[in-house]
Amino acid sequence: MGPLLLSMARETVLWPLAASLPLLVLALLSRKHLPVQIPGALAICAGFLTGYALIYGAFSFPPGEAQGWIPYFLALNIAIFSYDDLVGFPPKTRIILQAILSILGALLIFSPLFRTGFPFWLFIASSVLWFGLWVMLDAENSFALFFVAMGNAMVSATTGSTMLGQFGGVLAAVLGMHVLFNIPRSRIPLGHAGAAVSLAILASLMLIGRAYAETALIPNLLLLAAFPIDFAARRIVGKNEKRAPYIGAAFALIPVAIASIMAVKSYLAQQY
Amino acid sequence: MKKTILTLAAALAFQGGFAVADTYNVQHSSPAGTFKIDPLHSVAQFWIGHMGVSEFPGRFDAISGSFTVDASNKADTVSVEIPIDSLDTNYDKRNKDLLGPDFFNAKQFPKMTFASTSVKMKNDSEGTLTGNLTLHGVTKPVTFSLRHVGAGPDPWGGYRSGYVAKTTIKRSDFGMNYMLNGISDTVEVQLNIEGKRQ
């Protein structure tokens, strides 16, 4: 492995996991005093931001680019939904907050493009999609999220942007670690905060990829399709069934695998 | 036979006479005037270090703008605009990577511009060009070494003048920080500009 590849592996996997792991251990140790979801969500955030800082290297405010907003948006999400995990918002309040943050997230990503003729309806559609996925994934221990993050890393790196692919790789690494702590039984549920930050990262990366790097459309749609497939499979098996997350993830893996194969094939077709 | 040899010798002498003649001459007429940049004879090129083993070139094929040269060199101005998506590095996948959010982010920052603030000529042909370069949404002062190549009439009744400007920038100064460990921070930039007098 060459020095560049080693350096990328350190930025994408090693250092993010080194930042995430202590917080996951802390989550287990402090569960008698604090809702375990909160340090769990902090672990995802800390891991991702470590990789983000090493790869992107900028934390300016106000950010000059869409991806520059991700840390601030994550901070907002984790602050609101950690409080939710702590005190428990009424469902209506939570739904309203999720709707507002979905719109805000899409707005931060697309606003630099509005003056270049970016279609407004795509902003609306993206906000609605973000909100829909959030409601579907909220507080679920979805292993599918991990698979989709891996698929997103592959699709972004091969069809649009190496940097976004690396960001996707960081998310997949920290979610993978989170998943490991939940096998064979759920010890650190995602909770509202974990779902909020995981989806905020994933949605941001997918939208930035499509809007700024023109990542391939069909593989991206297949990745999105993994969520309703996972959701439907879990509902069919029975939400409270222990094997439901595994069965849901197994079905979700199918579109993710197809998307990844399509992306890699299109990448290889472009090589000399 | 004798006739054939003579004919061949004459042909060789005739051909050889043409092959060695260099009829290209730099024109040294006055560079004064206001010139519109001719995009077909102008280009912005760059060289960037790749993995510590080579210096790889790229270029921007579309370039527009104007320059004005005062007879006394006291009010010279240069204004250049380059659409980022005119980038070409001889490989589509690499072009796409460079135009995306990893580097130029062409969707958000579709053009780079340069507006001069001062032109100082040491002599008739050499000097420095200082101005503000806006790239990737960041504006920074940049100084080019400037060489006036030539000026004079063209065969179509126009009047042309051309320059070569060179500088070195750091891409991180313009917020392009990605993969500094594999692709150099330092970028050599060269503008070859030919203008047609208005």
mmCIF file with all atom_site columns, all heavy atoms in Angstrom, chain A residues 7 64-65 159 161-163 166 214 267 271-272, chain B residues 90-91 93 96-97 102 105 107-108 136 178 181:
data_model
loop_
_atom_site.group_PDB
_atom_site.id
_atom_site.type_symbol
_atom_site.label_atom_id
_atom_site.label_alt_id
_atom_site.label_comp_id
_atom_site.label_asym_id
_atom_site.label_entity_id
_atom_site.label_seq_id
_atom_site.pdbx_PDB_ins_code
_atom_site.Cartn_x
_atom_site.Cartn_y
_atom_site.Cartn_z
_atom_site.occupancy
_atom_site.B_iso_or_equiv
_atom_site.pdbx_formal_charge
_atom_site.auth_seq_id
_atom_site.auth_comp_id
_atom_site.auth_asym_id
_atom_site.auth_atom_id
_atom_site.pdbx_PDB_model_num
ATOM 1   N N   . SER A 1 7   ? -2.283  7.075  4.061   1.00 0.00 ? 7   SER A N   1
ATOM 2   C CA  . SER A 1 7   ? -2.717  8.325  4.679   1.00 0.00 ? 7   SER A CA  1
ATOM 3   C C   . SER A 1 7   ? -4.245  8.466  4.568   1.00 0.00 ? 7   SER A C   1
ATOM 4   O O   . SER A 1 7   ? -4.911  8.880  5.526   1.00 0.00 ? 7   SER A O   1
ATOM 5   C CB  . SER A 1 7   ? -2.002  9.485  3.981   1.00 0.00 ? 7   SER A CB  1
ATOM 6   O OG  . SER A 1 7   ? -2.646  10.674 4.238   1.00 0.00 ? 7   SER A OG  1
ATOM 7   N N   . GLY A 1 64  ? -17.647 28.681 3.163   1.00 0.00 ? 64  GLY A N   1
ATOM 8   C CA  . GLY A 1 64  ? -17.732 29.106 1.762   1.00 0.00 ? 64  GLY A CA  1
ATOM 9   C C   . GLY A 1 64  ? -18.397 28.071 0.869   1.00 0.00 ? 64  GLY A C   1
ATOM 10  O O   . GLY A 1 64  ? -18.830 28.395 -0.223  1.00 0.00 ? 64  GLY A O   1
ATOM 11  N N   . GLU A 1 65  ? -18.449 26.830 1.351   1.00 0.00 ? 65  GLU A N   1
ATOM 12  C CA  . GLU A 1 65  ? -19.008 25.768 0.509   1.00 0.00 ? 65  GLU A CA  1
ATOM 13  C C   . GLU A 1 65  ? -20.053 24.975 1.293   1.00 0.00 ? 65  GLU A C   1
ATOM 14  O O   . GLU A 1 65  ? -20.064 24.982 2.524   1.00 0.00 ? 65  GLU A O   1
ATOM 15  C CB  . GLU A 1 65  ? -17.897 24.816 0.064   1.00 0.00 ? 65  GLU A CB  1
ATOM 16  C CG  . GLU A 1 65  ? -16.867 25.470 -0.832  1.00 0.00 ? 65  GLU A CG  1
ATOM 17  C CD  . GLU A 1 65  ? -15.777 24.496 -1.230  1.00 0.00 ? 65  GLU A CD  1
ATOM 18  O OE1 . GLU A 1 65  ? -14.877 24.243 -0.402  1.00 0.00 ? 65  GLU A OE1 1
ATOM 19  O OE2 . GLU A 1 65  ? -15.829 23.995 -2.350  1.00 0.00 ? 65  GLU A OE2 1
ATOM 20  N N   . THR A 1 159 ? -18.239 7.713  -8.889  1.00 0.00 ? 159 THR A N   1
ATOM 21  C CA  . THR A 1 159 ? -18.988 8.420  -9.939  1.00 0.00 ? 159 THR A CA  1
ATOM 22  C C   . THR A 1 159 ? -18.970 9.938  -9.794  1.00 0.00 ? 159 THR A C   1
ATOM 23  O O   . THR A 1 159 ? -19.593 10.625 -10.607 1.00 0.00 ? 159 THR A O   1
ATOM 24  C CB  . THR A 1 159 ? -20.464 7.957  -10.008 1.00 0.00 ? 159 THR A CB  1
ATOM 25  O OG1 . THR A 1 159 ? -21.164 8.458  -8.866  1.00 0.00 ? 159 THR A OG1 1
ATOM 26  C CG2 . THR A 1 159 ? -20.568 6.451  -10.061 1.00 0.00 ? 159 THR A CG2 1
ATOM 27  N N   . SER A 1 161 ? -16.993 12.199 -6.692  1.00 0.00 ? 161 SER A N   1
ATOM 28  C CA  . SER A 1 161 ? -16.041 12.954 -5.898  1.00 0.00 ? 161 SER A CA  1
ATOM 29  C C   . SER A 1 161 ? -15.307 12.033 -4.926  1.00 0.00 ? 161 SER A C   1
ATOM 30  O O   . SER A 1 161 ? -15.931 11.373 -4.093  1.00 0.00 ? 161 SER A O   1
ATOM 31  C CB  . SER A 1 161 ? -16.803 14.041 -5.122  1.00 0.00 ? 161 SER A CB  1
ATOM 32  O OG  . SER A 1 161 ? -16.108 14.424 -3.978  1.00 0.00 ? 161 SER A OG  1
ATOM 33  N N   . THR A 1 162 ? -13.991 12.023 -5.027  1.00 0.00 ? 162 THR A N   1
ATOM 34  C CA  . THR A 1 162 ? -13.184 11.208 -4.118  1.00 0.00 ? 162 THR A CA  1
ATOM 35  C C   . THR A 1 162 ? -13.351 11.706 -2.683  1.00 0.00 ? 162 THR A C   1
ATOM 36  O O   . THR A 1 162 ? -13.454 10.912 -1.745  1.00 0.00 ? 162 THR A O   1
ATOM 37  C CB  . THR A 1 162 ? -11.693 11.300 -4.519  1.00 0.00 ? 162 THR A CB  1
ATOM 38  O OG1 . THR A 1 162 ? -11.599 11.111 -5.924  1.00 0.00 ? 162 THR A OG1 1
ATOM 39  C CG2 . THR A 1 162 ? -10.864 10.244 -3.829  1.00 0.00 ? 162 THR A CG2 1
ATOM 40  N N   . MET A 1 163 ? -13.416 13.028 -2.525  1.00 0.00 ? 163 MET A N   1
ATOM 41  C CA  . MET A 1 163 ? -13.538 13.594 -1.185  1.00 0.00 ? 163 MET A CA  1
ATOM 42  C C   . MET A 1 163 ? -14.860 13.180 -0.527  1.00 0.00 ? 163 MET A C   1
ATOM 43  O O   . MET A 1 163 ? -14.875 12.752 0.631   1.00 0.00 ? 163 MET A O   1
ATOM 44  C CB  . MET A 1 163 ? -13.451 15.123 -1.246  1.00 0.00 ? 163 MET A CB  1
ATOM 45  C CG  . MET A 1 163 ? -13.543 15.788 0.110   1.00 0.00 ? 163 MET A CG  1
ATOM 46  S SD  . MET A 1 163 ? -13.447 17.580 -0.003  1.00 0.00 ? 163 MET A SD  1
ATOM 47  C CE  . MET A 1 163 ? -15.042 17.966 -0.708  1.00 0.00 ? 163 MET A CE  1
ATOM 48  N N   . GLN A 1 166 ? -14.667 9.731  0.522   1.00 0.00 ? 166 GLN A N   1
ATOM 49  C CA  . GLN A 1 166 ? -13.932 9.583  1.798   1.00 0.00 ? 166 GLN A CA  1
ATOM 50  C C   . GLN A 1 166 ? -14.829 9.946  2.981   1.00 0.00 ? 166 GLN A C   1
ATOM 51  O O   . GLN A 1 166 ? -14.828 9.248  3.997   1.00 0.00 ? 166 GLN A O   1
ATOM 52  C CB  . GLN A 1 166 ? -12.705 10.492 1.804   1.00 0.00 ? 166 GLN A CB  1
ATOM 53  C CG  . GLN A 1 166 ? -11.433 9.788  1.363   1.00 0.00 ? 166 GLN A CG  1
ATOM 54  C CD  . GLN A 1 166 ? -10.207 10.604 1.747   1.00 0.00 ? 166 GLN A CD  1
ATOM 55  O OE1 . GLN A 1 166 ? -9.883  11.564 1.063   1.00 0.00 ? 166 GLN A OE1 1
ATOM 56  N NE2 . GLN A 1 166 ? -9.546  10.226 2.819   1.00 0.00 ? 166 GLN A NE2 1
ATOM 57  N N   . GLU A 1 214 ? -22.299 15.744 -9.390  1.00 0.00 ? 214 GLU A N   1
ATOM 58  C CA  . GLU A 1 214 ? -23.044 14.960 -10.399 1.00 0.00 ? 214 GLU A CA  1
ATOM 59  C C   . GLU A 1 214 ? -22.793 13.466 -10.240 1.00 0.00 ? 214 GLU A C   1
ATOM 60  O O   . GLU A 1 214 ? -22.503 12.763 -11.215 1.00 0.00 ? 214 GLU A O   1
ATOM 61  C CB  . GLU A 1 214 ? -22.692 15.434 -11.808 1.00 0.00 ? 214 GLU A CB  1
ATOM 62  C CG  . GLU A 1 214 ? -23.151 16.862 -12.071 1.00 0.00 ? 214 GLU A CG  1
ATOM 63  C CD  . GLU A 1 214 ? -22.780 17.363 -13.452 1.00 0.00 ? 214 GLU A CD  1
ATOM 64  O OE1 . GLU A 1 214 ? -22.026 16.670 -14.154 1.00 0.00 ? 214 GLU A OE1 1
ATOM 65  O OE2 . GLU A 1 214 ? -23.253 18.457 -13.810 1.00 0.00 ? 214 GLU A OE2 1
ATOM 66  N N   . TYR A 1 267 ? -17.204 3.252  -13.294 1.00 0.00 ? 267 TYR A N   1
ATOM 67  C CA  . TYR A 1 267 ? -15.861 3.794  -13.047 1.00 0.00 ? 267 TYR A CA  1
ATOM 68  C C   . TYR A 1 267 ? -14.819 3.057  -13.894 1.00 0.00 ? 267 TYR A C   1
ATOM 69  O O   . TYR A 1 267 ? -13.986 3.679  -14.551 1.00 0.00 ? 267 TYR A O   1
ATOM 70  C CB  . TYR A 1 267 ? -15.521 3.661  -11.561 1.00 0.00 ? 267 TYR A CB  1
ATOM 71  C CG  . TYR A 1 267 ? -14.128 4.123  -11.213 1.00 0.00 ? 267 TYR A CG  1
ATOM 72  C CD1 . TYR A 1 267 ? -13.815 5.469  -11.148 1.00 0.00 ? 267 TYR A CD1 1
ATOM 73  C CD2 . TYR A 1 267 ? -13.116 3.202  -10.958 1.00 0.00 ? 267 TYR A CD2 1
ATOM 74  C CE1 . TYR A 1 267 ? -12.543 5.898  -10.830 1.00 0.00 ? 267 TYR A CE1 1
ATOM 75  C CE2 . TYR A 1 267 ? -11.841 3.623  -10.639 1.00 0.00 ? 267 TYR A CE2 1
ATOM 76  C CZ  . TYR A 1 267 ? -11.552 4.976  -10.582 1.00 0.00 ? 267 TYR A CZ  1
ATOM 77  O OH  . TYR A 1 267 ? -10.293 5.404  -10.278 1.00 0.00 ? 267 TYR A OH  1
ATOM 78  N N   . GLN A 1 271 ? -11.828 4.063  -17.314 1.00 0.00 ? 271 GLN A N   1
ATOM 79  C CA  . GLN A 1 271 ? -10.366 3.991  -17.244 1.00 0.00 ? 271 GLN A CA  1
ATOM 80  C C   . GLN A 1 271 ? -9.765  3.811  -18.626 1.00 0.00 ? 271 GLN A C   1
ATOM 81  O O   . GLN A 1 271 ? -10.385 3.261  -19.528 1.00 0.00 ? 271 GLN A O   1
ATOM 82  C CB  . GLN A 1 271 ? -9.947  2.813  -16.342 1.00 0.00 ? 271 GLN A CB  1
ATOM 83  C CG  . GLN A 1 271 ? -10.430 2.950  -14.923 1.00 0.00 ? 271 GLN A CG  1
ATOM 84  C CD  . GLN A 1 271 ? -9.858  4.165  -14.227 1.00 0.00 ? 271 GLN A CD  1
ATOM 85  O OE1 . GLN A 1 271 ? -8.654  4.301  -14.117 1.00 0.00 ? 271 GLN A OE1 1
ATOM 86  N NE2 . GLN A 1 271 ? -10.705 5.062  -13.775 1.00 0.00 ? 271 GLN A NE2 1
ATOM 87  N N   . TYR A 1 272 ? -8.534  4.244  -18.769 1.00 0.00 ? 272 TYR A N   1
ATOM 88  C CA  . TYR A 1 272 ? -7.832  4.022  -20.031 1.00 0.00 ? 272 TYR A CA  1
ATOM 89  C C   . TYR A 1 272 ? -7.561  2.546  -20.219 1.00 0.00 ? 272 TYR A C   1
ATOM 90  O O   . TYR A 1 272 ? -7.305  1.835  -19.262 1.00 0.00 ? 272 TYR A O   1
ATOM 91  C CB  . TYR A 1 272 ? -6.486  4.763  -20.018 1.00 0.00 ? 272 TYR A CB  1
ATOM 92  C CG  . TYR A 1 272 ? -6.606  6.224  -20.331 1.00 0.00 ? 272 TYR A CG  1
ATOM 93  C CD1 . TYR A 1 272 ? -6.016  7.168  -19.501 1.00 0.00 ? 272 TYR A CD1 1
ATOM 94  C CD2 . TYR A 1 272 ? -7.295  6.662  -21.440 1.00 0.00 ? 272 TYR A CD2 1
ATOM 95  C CE1 . TYR A 1 272 ? -6.103  8.518  -19.779 1.00 0.00 ? 272 TYR A CE1 1
ATOM 96  C CE2 . TYR A 1 272 ? -7.388  8.014  -21.728 1.00 0.00 ? 272 TYR A CE2 1
ATOM 97  C CZ  . TYR A 1 272 ? -6.798  8.940  -20.890 1.00 0.00 ? 272 TYR A CZ  1
ATOM 98  O OH  . TYR A 1 272 ? -6.884  10.269 -21.170 1.00 0.00 ? 272 TYR A OH  1
ATOM 99  N N   . ASN B 2 90  ? -6.985  16.377 -20.297 1.00 0.00 ? 90  ASN B N   1
ATOM 100 C CA  . ASN B 2 90  ? -6.794  15.240 -21.196 1.00 0.00 ? 90  ASN B CA  1
ATOM 101 C C   . ASN B 2 90  ? -7.336  13.929 -20.637 1.00 0.00 ? 90  ASN B C   1
ATOM 102 O O   . ASN B 2 90  ? -6.906  12.861 -21.035 1.00 0.00 ? 90  ASN B O   1
ATOM 103 C CB  . ASN B 2 90  ? -5.296  15.079 -21.533 1.00 0.00 ? 90  ASN B CB  1
ATOM 104 C CG  . ASN B 2 90  ? -5.085  14.207 -22.755 1.00 0.00 ? 90  ASN B CG  1
ATOM 105 O OD1 . ASN B 2 90  ? -5.922  14.184 -23.647 1.00 0.00 ? 90  ASN B OD1 1
ATOM 106 N ND2 . ASN B 2 90  ? -3.990  13.475 -22.787 1.00 0.00 ? 90  ASN B ND2 1
ATOM 107 N N   . TYR B 2 91  ? -8.284  14.019 -19.678 1.00 0.00 ? 91  TYR B N   1
ATOM 108 C CA  . TYR B 2 91  ? -8.899  12.803 -19.142 1.00 0.00 ? 91  TYR B CA  1
ATOM 109 C C   . TYR B 2 91  ? -10.213 13.201 -18.467 1.00 0.00 ? 91  TYR B C   1
ATOM 110 O O   . TYR B 2 91  ? -10.198 13.944 -17.481 1.00 0.00 ? 91  TYR B O   1
ATOM 111 C CB  . TYR B 2 91  ? -7.943  12.133 -18.155 1.00 0.00 ? 91  TYR B CB  1
ATOM 112 C CG  . TYR B 2 91  ? -8.464  10.855 -17.534 1.00 0.00 ? 91  TYR B CG  1
ATOM 113 C CD1 . TYR B 2 91  ? -9.296  9.975  -18.229 1.00 0.00 ? 91  TYR B CD1 1
ATOM 114 C CD2 . TYR B 2 91  ? -8.117  10.506 -16.232 1.00 0.00 ? 91  TYR B CD2 1
ATOM 115 C CE1 . TYR B 2 91  ? -9.759  8.816  -17.658 1.00 0.00 ? 91  TYR B CE1 1
ATOM 116 C CE2 . TYR B 2 91  ? -8.574  9.335  -15.650 1.00 0.00 ? 91  TYR B CE2 1
ATOM 117 C CZ  . TYR B 2 91  ? -9.392  8.500  -16.368 1.00 0.00 ? 91  TYR B CZ  1
ATOM 118 O OH  . TYR B 2 91  ? -9.850  7.348  -15.790 1.00 0.00 ? 91  TYR B OH  1
ATOM 119 N N   . LYS B 2 93  ? -12.473 11.753 -16.557 1.00 0.00 ? 93  LYS B N   1
ATOM 120 C CA  . LYS B 2 93  ? -12.724 11.435 -15.145 1.00 0.00 ? 93  LYS B CA  1
ATOM 121 C C   . LYS B 2 93  ? -11.985 12.424 -14.236 1.00 0.00 ? 93  LYS B C   1
ATOM 122 O O   . LYS B 2 93  ? -12.533 12.887 -13.238 1.00 0.00 ? 93  LYS B O   1
ATOM 123 C CB  . LYS B 2 93  ? -12.262 9.992  -14.870 1.00 0.00 ? 93  LYS B CB  1
ATOM 124 C CG  . LYS B 2 93  ? -12.268 9.574  -13.412 1.00 0.00 ? 93  LYS B CG  1
ATOM 125 C CD  . LYS B 2 93  ? -13.652 9.199  -12.953 1.00 0.00 ? 93  LYS B CD  1
ATOM 126 C CE  . LYS B 2 93  ? -13.661 8.627  -11.531 1.00 0.00 ? 93  LYS B CE  1
ATOM 127 N NZ  . LYS B 2 93  ? -13.397 9.609  -10.492 1.00 0.00 ? 93  LYS B NZ  1
ATOM 128 N N   . LYS B 2 96  ? -13.673 15.767 -14.257 1.00 0.00 ? 96  LYS B N   1
ATOM 129 C CA  . LYS B 2 96  ? -14.862 15.774 -13.400 1.00 0.00 ? 96  LYS B CA  1
ATOM 130 C C   . LYS B 2 96  ? -14.466 15.919 -11.934 1.00 0.00 ? 96  LYS B C   1
ATOM 131 O O   . LYS B 2 96  ? -15.096 16.674 -11.190 1.00 0.00 ? 96  LYS B O   1
ATOM 132 C CB  . LYS B 2 96  ? -15.667 14.487 -13.622 1.00 0.00 ? 96  LYS B CB  1
ATOM 133 C CG  . LYS B 2 96  ? -17.054 14.561 -13.027 1.00 0.00 ? 96  LYS B CG  1
ATOM 134 C CD  . LYS B 2 96  ? -17.860 13.318 -13.260 1.00 0.00 ? 96  LYS B CD  1
ATOM 135 C CE  . LYS B 2 96  ? -19.199 13.466 -12.549 1.00 0.00 ? 96  LYS B CE  1
ATOM 136 N NZ  . LYS B 2 96  ? -19.952 12.231 -12.477 1.00 0.00 ? 96  LYS B NZ  1
ATOM 137 N N   . ASP B 2 97  ? -13.444 15.194 -11.518 1.00 0.00 ? 97  ASP B N   1
ATOM 138 C CA  . ASP B 2 97  ? -12.954 15.301 -10.140 1.00 0.00 ? 97  ASP B CA  1
ATOM 139 C C   . ASP B 2 97  ? -12.527 16.733 -9.819  1.00 0.00 ? 97  ASP B C   1
ATOM 140 O O   . ASP B 2 97  ? -12.856 17.273 -8.769  1.00 0.00 ? 97  ASP B O   1
ATOM 141 C CB  . ASP B 2 97  ? -11.733 14.395 -9.937  1.00 0.00 ? 97  ASP B CB  1
ATOM 142 C CG  . ASP B 2 97  ? -12.125 13.023 -9.412  1.00 0.00 ? 97  ASP B CG  1
ATOM 143 O OD1 . ASP B 2 97  ? -13.298 12.849 -9.054  1.00 0.00 ? 97  ASP B OD1 1
ATOM 144 O OD2 . ASP B 2 97  ? -11.266 12.126 -9.384  1.00 0.00 ? 97  ASP B OD2 1
ATOM 145 N N   . ASP B 2 102 ? -14.284 18.660 -4.645  1.00 0.00 ? 102 ASP B N   1
ATOM 146 C CA  . ASP B 2 102 ? -12.944 18.354 -4.132  1.00 0.00 ? 102 ASP B CA  1
ATOM 147 C C   . ASP B 2 102 ? -11.982 19.511 -4.400  1.00 0.00 ? 102 ASP B C   1
ATOM 148 O O   . ASP B 2 102 ? -11.094 19.784 -3.601  1.00 0.00 ? 102 ASP B O   1
ATOM 149 C CB  . ASP B 2 102 ? -12.351 17.109 -4.806  1.00 0.00 ? 102 ASP B CB  1
ATOM 150 C CG  . ASP B 2 102 ? -13.225 15.875 -4.650  1.00 0.00 ? 102 ASP B CG  1
ATOM 151 O OD1 . ASP B 2 102 ? -14.424 16.041 -4.368  1.00 0.00 ? 102 ASP B OD1 1
ATOM 152 O OD2 . ASP B 2 102 ? -12.719 14.765 -4.831  1.00 0.00 ? 102 ASP B OD2 1
ATOM 153 N N   . ASN B 2 105 ? -14.934 23.238 -7.514  1.00 0.00 ? 105 ASN B N   1
ATOM 154 C CA  . ASN B 2 105 ? -16.356 23.423 -7.190  1.00 0.00 ? 105 ASN B CA  1
ATOM 155 C C   . ASN B 2 105 ? -17.025 24.352 -8.206  1.00 0.00 ? 105 ASN B C   1
ATOM 156 O O   . ASN B 2 105 ? -17.567 25.400 -7.866  1.00 0.00 ? 105 ASN B O   1
ATOM 157 C CB  . ASN B 2 105 ? -16.513 23.979 -5.767  1.00 0.00 ? 105 ASN B CB  1
ATOM 158 C CG  . ASN B 2 105 ? -17.900 23.739 -5.219  1.00 0.00 ? 105 ASN B CG  1
ATOM 159 O OD1 . ASN B 2 105 ? -18.796 23.266 -5.931  1.00 0.00 ? 105 ASN B OD1 1
ATOM 160 N ND2 . ASN B 2 105 ? -18.102 24.071 -3.964  1.00 0.00 ? 105 ASN B ND2 1
ATOM 161 N N   . LYS B 2 107 ? -19.716 24.285 -9.895  1.00 0.00 ? 107 LYS B N   1
ATOM 162 C CA  . LYS B 2 107 ? -21.154 24.591 -9.813  1.00 0.00 ? 107 LYS B CA  1
ATOM 163 C C   . LYS B 2 107 ? -21.379 25.848 -8.977  1.00 0.00 ? 107 LYS B C   1
ATOM 164 O O   . LYS B 2 107 ? -22.227 26.665 -9.305  1.00 0.00 ? 107 LYS B O   1
ATOM 165 C CB  . LYS B 2 107 ? -21.905 23.422 -9.175  1.00 0.00 ? 107 LYS B CB  1
ATOM 166 C CG  . LYS B 2 107 ? -21.869 22.159 -9.974  1.00 0.00 ? 107 LYS B CG  1
ATOM 167 C CD  . LYS B 2 107 ? -23.047 22.075 -10.902 1.00 0.00 ? 107 LYS B CD  1
ATOM 168 C CE  . LYS B 2 107 ? -22.914 20.824 -11.726 1.00 0.00 ? 107 LYS B CE  1
ATOM 169 N NZ  . LYS B 2 107 ? -24.062 20.545 -12.533 1.00 0.00 ? 107 LYS B NZ  1
ATOM 170 N N   . GLN B 2 108 ? -20.625 25.948 -7.904  1.00 0.00 ? 108 GLN B N   1
ATOM 171 C CA  . GLN B 2 108 ? -20.805 27.111 -7.024  1.00 0.00 ? 108 GLN B CA  1
ATOM 172 C C   . GLN B 2 108 ? -19.953 28.298 -7.470  1.00 0.00 ? 108 GLN B C   1
ATOM 173 O O   . GLN B 2 108 ? -20.363 29.442 -7.340  1.00 0.00 ? 108 GLN B O   1
ATOM 174 C CB  . GLN B 2 108 ? -20.464 26.725 -5.582  1.00 0.00 ? 108 GLN B CB  1
ATOM 175 C CG  . GLN B 2 108 ? -20.782 27.834 -4.592  1.00 0.00 ? 108 GLN B CG  1
ATOM 176 C CD  . GLN B 2 108 ? -20.546 27.422 -3.149  1.00 0.00 ? 108 GLN B CD  1
ATOM 177 O OE1 . GLN B 2 108 ? -20.451 26.243 -2.847  1.00 0.00 ? 108 GLN B OE1 1
ATOM 178 N NE2 . GLN B 2 108 ? -20.456 28.389 -2.273  1.00 0.00 ? 108 GLN B NE2 1
ATOM 179 N N   . HIS B 2 136 ? -12.374 30.141 -6.672  1.00 0.00 ? 136 HIS B N   1
ATOM 180 C CA  . HIS B 2 136 ? -13.002 29.322 -5.644  1.00 0.00 ? 136 HIS B CA  1
ATOM 181 C C   . HIS B 2 136 ? -13.646 30.204 -4.561  1.00 0.00 ? 136 HIS B C   1
ATOM 182 O O   . HIS B 2 136 ? -13.651 29.873 -3.372  1.00 0.00 ? 136 HIS B O   1
ATOM 183 C CB  . HIS B 2 136 ? -11.930 28.395 -5.036  1.00 0.00 ? 136 HIS B CB  1
ATOM 184 C CG  . HIS B 2 136 ? -12.494 27.231 -4.284  1.00 0.00 ? 136 HIS B CG  1
ATOM 185 N ND1 . HIS B 2 136 ? -12.341 27.090 -2.932  1.00 0.00 ? 136 HIS B ND1 1
ATOM 186 C CD2 . HIS B 2 136 ? -13.194 26.151 -4.675  1.00 0.00 ? 136 HIS B CD2 1
ATOM 187 C CE1 . HIS B 2 136 ? -12.917 25.978 -2.521  1.00 0.00 ? 136 HIS B CE1 1
ATOM 188 N NE2 . HIS B 2 136 ? -13.443 25.383 -3.572  1.00 0.00 ? 136 HIS B NE2 1
ATOM 189 N N   . TYR B 2 178 ? -8.065  19.996 -0.372  1.00 0.00 ? 178 TYR B N   1
ATOM 190 C CA  . TYR B 2 178 ? -8.204  18.539 -0.425  1.00 0.00 ? 178 TYR B CA  1
ATOM 191 C C   . TYR B 2 178 ? -6.946  17.859 -0.981  1.00 0.00 ? 178 TYR B C   1
ATOM 192 O O   . TYR B 2 178 ? -6.388  18.300 -1.979  1.00 0.00 ? 178 TYR B O   1
ATOM 193 C CB  . TYR B 2 178 ? -9.430  18.153 -1.268  1.00 0.00 ? 178 TYR B CB  1
ATOM 194 C CG  . TYR B 2 178 ? -9.659  16.656 -1.294  1.00 0.00 ? 178 TYR B CG  1
ATOM 195 C CD1 . TYR B 2 178 ? -9.820  15.934 -0.106  1.00 0.00 ? 178 TYR B CD1 1
ATOM 196 C CD2 . TYR B 2 178 ? -9.696  15.958 -2.486  1.00 0.00 ? 178 TYR B CD2 1
ATOM 197 C CE1 . TYR B 2 178 ? -10.020 14.574 -0.122  1.00 0.00 ? 178 TYR B CE1 1
ATOM 198 C CE2 . TYR B 2 178 ? -9.897  14.582 -2.506  1.00 0.00 ? 178 TYR B CE2 1
ATOM 199 C CZ  . TYR B 2 178 ? -10.054 13.908 -1.309  1.00 0.00 ? 178 TYR B CZ  1
ATOM 200 O OH  . TYR B 2 178 ? -10.240 12.542 -1.328  1.00 0.00 ? 178 TYR B OH  1
ATOM 201 N N   . ASN B 2 181 ? -1.597  16.031 0.543   1.00 0.00 ? 181 ASN B N   1
ATOM 202 C CA  . ASN B 2 181 ? -0.505  15.065 0.673   1.00 0.00 ? 181 ASN B CA  1
ATOM 203 C C   . ASN B 2 181 ? -0.220  14.314 -0.631  1.00 0.00 ? 181 ASN B C   1
ATOM 204 O O   . ASN B 2 181 ? 0.796   13.636 -0.742  1.00 0.00 ? 181 ASN B O   1
ATOM 205 C CB  . ASN B 2 181 ? -0.798  14.056 1.799   1.00 0.00 ? 181 ASN B CB  1
ATOM 206 C CG  . ASN B 2 181 ? -2.184  13.468 1.698   1.00 0.00 ? 181 ASN B CG  1
ATOM 207 O OD1 . ASN B 2 181 ? -2.922  13.779 0.767   1.00 0.00 ? 181 ASN B OD1 1
ATOM 208 N ND2 . ASN B 2 181 ? -2.556  12.634 2.631   1.00 0.00 ? 181 ASN B ND2 1
#
